[in-house]
Amino acid sequence: MDKQLRIRPYQASDLEDILTIFDSNVPQYFAASERADLIRYLQEEIADYFVVLQQDRLIGAGGINYDADGTTARLSWDFIDQNSQKSGAGTFLTHYRIQYALAKENIDTLMVRTSQLAEAFYAKQGFHVLERITDHWAPGFDMVNMRYQP
């Protein structure tokens, strides 16, 4: 893994870079129609959201949201720039968020809702499939609900 990677909290000024990175993952990992959902998330639903930088260039982002039960955290809206994938940045960001969420005293369950296209990545990180809903995000993009069980 590149030692130049670092993580910091999201800032509103990161929006355009994040949208560019998201767009680099369409249509391989996201449907174009999901872009509006991402914008709404970043403007209205954000809880903890982080960006990953390589040197000083923003190359990815990902968040954590918390359920009303107060004990469940969910990894959300994560992606790495197409040109930086397979560099370890996604694993670095995911491990950071796992540790961040589970360090909270009240959190005892960690979930992720992803697509079948990222399912294997999350399985390598310790997540196990609980449910699959065909064409949930968009046609051809299933929702895979997974729980962290190290």
Side-chain angles (χ1 to χ4, degrees):
M1 182 184 324
D2 186 337
K3 293 183 179 16
Q4 299 297 321
L5 294 175
R6 67 183 176 91
I7 292 174
R8 68 161 168 78
Y10 167 80
Q11 300 166 0
S13 60
D14 296 326
L15 179 61
E16 288 307 315
D17 286 340
I18 288 174
L19 293 176
T20 298
I21 293 167
F22 174 84
D23 292 343
S24 81
N25 285 282
V26 174
Q28 186 175 1
Y29 293 107
F30 293 94
S33 61
E34 294 179 272
R35 191 177 204 266
D37 294 334
L38 173 60
I39 293 169
R40 184 177 59 251
Y41 170 82
L42 292 172
Q43 293 175 342
E44 301 172 14
E45 300 169 11
I46 199 169
D48 288 319
Y49 203 71
F50 305 97
V51 297
V52 58
L53 300 119
Q54 184 171 40
Q55 297 168 346
D56 286 326
R57 187 174 66 89
L58 199 153
I59 63 165
I64 307 167
N65 284 75
Y66 305 94
D67 286 6
D69 68 10
T71 64
T72 302
R74 294 182 182 276
L75 300 187
S76 57
W77 284 110
D78 50 76
F79 38 81
I80 301 295
D81 182 86
Q82 194 71 4
N83 296 322
S84 298
Q85 291 177 7
K86 309 287 185 203
S87 70
T91 299
F92 181 69
L93 177 61
T94 301
H95 287 182
Y96 179 88
R97 291 180 301 145
I98 289 169
Q99 292 170 1
Y100 186 94
L102 294 179
K104 293 185 176 289
E105 185 176 300
N106 54 319
I107 299 299
D108 63 15
T109 303
L110 183 59
M111 306 287 291
V112 67
R113 295 183 320 158
T114 190
S115 75
Q116 77 277 15
L117 305 169
E119 177 182 343
F121 170 80
Y122 284 106
K124 289 179 190 173
Q125 311 309 316
F127 288 84
H128 301 276
V129 175
L130 299 177
E131 174 186 37
R132 184 180 315 273
I133 301 173
T134 304
D135 294 335
H136 176 82
W137 306 113
F141 292 88
D142 302 347
M143 181 185 75
V144 183
N145 198 15
M146 301 177 81
R147 180 178 180 156
Y148 183 68
Q149 297 173 319

